[in-house]
C-alpha cells in the first residue's frame, strides 16, 4: 500500500469515527431534552404523547391529596387545570396556591405522572416557564371573556 493510500484510509477512518461520535452525542442530547408546556398547551395537544416534558403553573388550592408517599394535586394556569400524581417526598416549599414545575409524562387517562417536582425557592420568585404559562392563561381567559361578551361564542 502506498503512503498516499494510507493517508486517505486514515482520513476516511477519522471521518467515520467523527460521524459516529457526533451521532452518539446528538442522540444523547435528544434523549435528555425536556420541553416545557402549560396546562392549556397540553389540553390543546401540543405536548408529546410519549416522552418526558415539564408543565408548570400554580398548585390549585384544596387539590392536594396525600395517600402514603403518593400525592395527587392539580396545576392550573388559570385557563386550564391538569391533574398530577407524584410518588415521593415533596420539596418543603411545595404548597397550595404557589408556583410549581413538574417533570414527567402524561398517563393514558390524562393524568400527568410526575417524577420530579420543583417548587419555588423564594417568596417573590416564580419559575419563568410558570410565569409565562400564567400570563398566557390570563390572556386566554381575557380573549374568551371578550368573545363571550361580544356573543361570538358558538
Amino acid at each position: 500500500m502506498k503512503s498516499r493510500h494510507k493517508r486517505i484510509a486514515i482520513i476516511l477512518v477519522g471521518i467515520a469515527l467523527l460521524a459516529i461520535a457526533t451521532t452518539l452525542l446528538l442522540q444523547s442530547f435528544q434523549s435528555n431534552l425536556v420541553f416545557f408546556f402549560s396546562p392549556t398547551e397540553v389540553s390543546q395537544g401540543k405536548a408529546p404523547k410519549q416522552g418526558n416534558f415539564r408543565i408548570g403553573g400554580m398548585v390549585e388550592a384544596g387539590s392536594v391529596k396525600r395517600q402514603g408517599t403518593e400525592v395527587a394535586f392539580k396545576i392550573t394556569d388559570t385557563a386550564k387545570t391538569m391533574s398530577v400524581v407524584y410518588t415521593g417526598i415533596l420539596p418543603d416549599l411545595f404548597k397550595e396556591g404557589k408556583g410549581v414545575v413538574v417533570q414527567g409524562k402524561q398517563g393514558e387517562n390524562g393524568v400527568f405522572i410526575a417524577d420530579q417536582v420543583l417548587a419555588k425557592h423564594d417568596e417573590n420568585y416564580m419559575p419563568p416557564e410558570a410565569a409565562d404559562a400564567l400570563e398566557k392563561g390570563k390572556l386566554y381567559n381575557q380573549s374568551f371573556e371578550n368573545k363571550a361578551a361580544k356573543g361570538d361564542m358558538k
Side-chain angles (χ1 to χ4, degrees), residues 71-139:
V71 181
F73 55 96
K74 294 182 179 180
I75 293 179
T76 182
D77 61 358
T78 68
K80 297 285 182 181
T81 301
M82 188 163 187
S83 297
V84 177
V85 174
Y86 174 70
T87 302
I89 299 171
L90 290 170
D92 291 338
L93 298 174
F94 177 87
K95 292 180 182 170
E96 294 179 356
K98 301 294 182 184
V100 67
V101 173
V102 296
Q103 180 176 325
K105 53 180 79 172
Q106 191 165 7
E108 294 177 10
N109 55 1
V111 175
F112 190 81
I113 301 165
D115 54 21
Q116 187 176 17
V117 175
L118 306 168
K120 72 177 198 170
H121 57 66
D122 178 291
E123 198 166 294
N124 298 319
Y125 177 77
M126 166 100 42
E129 296 93 353
D132 288 344
L134 288 173
E135 188 63 33
K136 287 178 185 174
K138 287 179 185 173
L139 294 175

Side-chain angles (χ1 to χ4, degrees), residues 15-73:
I15 290 172
L17 290 175
L18 185 63
I20 291 170
T22 303
T23 302
L24 291 174
L25 183 69
L26 290 175
Q27 285 178 348
S28 173
F29 181 70
Q30 182 72 24
S31 66
N32 291 324
L33 199 61
V34 179
F35 292 103
F36 177 84
F37 296 95
S38 68
T40 301
E41 291 171 325
V42 173
S43 69
Q44 293 171 345
K46 294 180 179 177
K49 300 292 181 211
Q50 298 177 347
N52 281 354
F53 61 94
R54 289 181 173 182
I55 60 171
M58 304 294 280
V59 178
E60 194 172 79
S63 68
V64 178
K65 295 180 177 45
R66 298 173 194 263
Q67 186 174 11
T69 58
E70 184 175 295
V71 181
F73 55 96

